[in-house]
Amino acid sequence: MSFHVPNVHNPIFMHKDEIRELAEKLIVGTASAEELLHYNRLCNQYNLAEAEWDENLYGNKNEIEQDIKEAIWQKAGIEKPVIKMPWRKWLAAASVILLIGSAALFFLNKSPKNQPVVTNLPSKNKVQTDIKPGQAGAILTLASGETILLDSAINGSLAQQGNASIIKKNGELVYSNDKPNAEVVYNTMTTPKGRQFSLVLADGSKVWLNAASSITFPTAFIGTERKVTITGEAYFEIAHNPAMPFIVEKGKTSVLVLGTHFNVNAYDDERALCVTLLQGSVNVSNGKSSKIIKPGQQAQINKEDNISLLNNVDLDNVVAWKNGRINFEGADIETVMRQMARWYDVEIVYNKKLEDLFYADIPRSTMLSDVLKALELTRKVHFKIDGRKVVVIP
């Protein structure tokens, strides 16, 4: 999703009465898919409008905020909350409510009265069974072939690999090596479907591993480079070391960095391998060509090994999985359901191909039935759960 600072000549930046009218259409479910996307973009513009807000042109911001709040409360049939939320958070809440088809799906605060609520659900094809979301967990395979289930491992020392101590601490795996010049051995951390976990490498670099992914890494980094290999999806925050570049490999593709934050989506069933940069600078190459990308850019490597660059990438969307969110904007149903398959460990079966696009931002802790019900509110799709199989029905 692109973010653009609004100006008075931008026709998408409507005045307050038009905003109320569009919000009302979204809330009652009469808005088109284009209007849903239009509203979302409008919310993004408001989020960046603090320095440019012109009350004569756009109306009183507090008044608009209050009207949208009250419209949401009234249509959702909930009592007016006493909690005060900033303007930006209310816009985010409105986007969650409206972008998934005018569902009253609220995540206002952590109090019991304001737990996620779904109202106005479709009467047909309701999900009869439920599946829990994924959780923290992984399998660590040592150089000897021994495996450790990290789901159930308690905090503390788990193993010794040469001079490296392997510790589980605060829900993540930490490698500590006091003698990094010793013989290096390789370990692999694997997350099955329905699991994710984080790892601190021996150099202090941190890795978050998404579901159905793996990373193979040395217990210590020696020589002139630091190299790891991955499958699936991983987010990296690399410790800066100009004398020892960090390299992430997936098949023919390599990502070369010195110290930076980036995400690599390398699932084999996705249309392209995507490297997205949040901070720093990286070089993406695959033996055929190479590209240097800057923050906010994404390198996409297709099945023919061609590399293209995408600018102004929605970074929040890319790393939503790491931050506990299921987020998609303008995604087709197959893209959406691939995420569901990995996180909820389910098989997806399609009754018929769908052409519609979907928009949502939902906590990853949401039960599968609630996610599917929210998608059903678009009236574009229905679902049936049979054991761990989800059937997609137009």
Side-chain angles (χ1 to χ4, degrees):
M1 186 191 306
S2 299
F3 291 81
H4 303 286
V5 177
N7 59 69
V8 297
H9 303 294
N10 190 340
I12 199 174
F13 201 76
M14 301 177 297
H15 61 69
K16 61 179 182 178
D17 293 331
E18 291 173 308
I19 292 170
R20 293 195 195 99
E21 181 180 348
L22 180 56
E24 180 73 11
K25 289 181 67 177
L26 292 166
I27 292 167
V28 300
T30 60
S32 66
E34 290 75 16
E35 286 172 319
L36 292 173
L37 180 58
H38 187 71
Y39 182 85
N40 189 38
R41 288 172 177 163
L42 188 63
C43 287
N44 291 338
Q45 289 181 323
Y46 273 124
N47 286 340
L48 294 178
E50 297 292 342
E52 293 189 20
W53 189 272
D54 188 328
E55 188 166 309
N56 292 326
L57 288 170
Y58 309 136
N60 183 278
K61 181 184 291 189
N62 292 331
E63 182 182 339
I64 297 172
E65 172 189 3
Q66 188 63 31
D67 286 350
I68 292 177
K69 288 181 189 178
E70 292 181 357
I72 292 171
W73 295 330
Q74 180 180 0
K75 292 297 178 182
I78 63 174
E79 295 182 2
K80 182 176 179 179
V82 295
I83 184 171
K84 293 184 178 179
M85 295 180 68
W87 167 252
R88 293 182 178 182
K89 291 189 176 181
W90 270 110
L91 285 174
S95 294
V96 172
I97 296 161
L98 302 172
L99 289 176
I100 55 178
S102 69
L105 184 59
F106 287 86
F107 307 101
L108 301 183
N109 62 29
K110 297 181 180 180
S111 68
K113 292 182 180 180
N114 287 313
Q115 290 300 304
V117 176
V118 178
T119 64
N120 301 320
L121 295 176
S123 59
K124 62 180 180 178
N125 292 323
K126 286 190 177 181
V127 178
Q128 299 299 320
T129 56
D130 216 344
I131 294 175
K132 293 181 179 180
Q135 63 186 42
I139 300 169
L140 177 66
T141 303
L142 304 179
S144 63
E146 177 188 353
T147 60
I148 300 174
L149 183 63
L150 299 177
D151 304 42
S152 55
I154 62 174
N155 285 331
S157 180
L158 301 182
Q160 191 79 21
Q161 288 281 272
N163 292 313
S165 299
I166 306 174
I167 302 167
K168 184 180 179 182
K169 182 180 180 181
N170 298 326
E172 65 182 6
L173 200 62
V174 179
Y175 276 70
S176 176
N177 197 326
D178 295 330
K179 299 178 180 179
N181 293 324
E183 180 182 1
V184 176
V185 296
Y186 285 81
N187 290 178
T188 299
M189 189 173 80
T190 304
T191 49
K193 288 183 177 181
R195 296 290 185 272
Q196 69 177 50
F197 214 73
S198 58
L199 164 70
V200 180
L201 298 170
D203 68 336
S205 296
K206 190 166 182 178
V207 185
W208 286 259
L209 208 60
N210 203 352
S213 305
S214 71
I215 179 170
T216 299
F217 54 94
T219 57
F221 292 103
I222 62 175
T224 59
E225 64 182 21
R226 298 169 285 170
K227 183 182 293 186
V228 302
T229 60
I230 68 163
T231 65
E233 185 168 23
Y235 175 82
F236 293 85
E237 292 185 353
I238 302 303
H240 189 69
N241 185 350
M244 191 181 291
F246 197 100
I247 301 172
V248 179
E249 290 188 340
K250 170 59 169 73
K252 298 178 183 179
T253 301
S254 66
V255 183
L256 174 65
V257 306
L258 295 177
T260 187
H261 299 179
F262 61 99
N263 191 84
V264 182
N265 185 324
Y267 288 111
D268 291 333
D269 59 353
E270 293 293 344
R271 297 184 182 91
L273 187 158
C274 297
V275 180
T276 309
L277 186 63
L278 286 81
Q279 178 180 311
S281 179
V282 305
N283 183 290
V284 180
S285 62
N286 61 359
K288 183 178 179 180
S289 60
S290 65
K291 298 281 187 182
I292 295 177
I293 62 175
K294 300 177 181 179
Q297 290 184 321
Q298 181 181 89
Q300 299 180 344
I301 301 93
N302 63 20
K303 301 301 181 182
E304 289 73 41
D305 290 332
N306 298 315
I307 304 177
S308 59
L309 290 185
L310 183 64
N311 296 313
N312 301 317
V313 176
D314 183 353
L315 300 179
D316 289 338
N317 179 287
V318 171
V319 299
W321 68 270
K322 167 187 167 287
N323 298 326
R325 312 291 299 180
I326 297 171
N327 186 292
F328 40 88
E329 180 188 347
D332 60 50
I333 193 63
E334 293 181 2
T335 299
V336 172
M337 297 314 292
R338 282 195 295 270
Q339 290 190 41
M340 301 300 107
R342 296 176 195 131
W343 185 234
Y344 291 92
D345 188 14
V346 292
E347 176 188 357
I348 308 299
V349 177
Y350 294 91
N351 184 285
K352 183 180 178 182
K353 184 175 178 62
L354 296 174
E355 301 295 338
D356 298 287
L357 301 181
F358 296 85
Y359 310 82
D361 183 11
I362 305 170
R364 253 189 161 193
S365 57
T366 305
M367 299 292 283
L368 179 60
S369 66
D370 286 336
V371 177
L372 299 183
K373 288 173 184 176
L375 290 171
E376 284 187 334
L377 286 165
T378 64
R379 304 190 184 280
K380 301 292 186 181
V381 65
H382 298 283
F383 303 93
K384 177 183 177 182
I385 294 182
D386 182 9
R388 300 201 75 85
K389 180 187 295 184
V390 176
V391 182
V392 181
I393 306 167

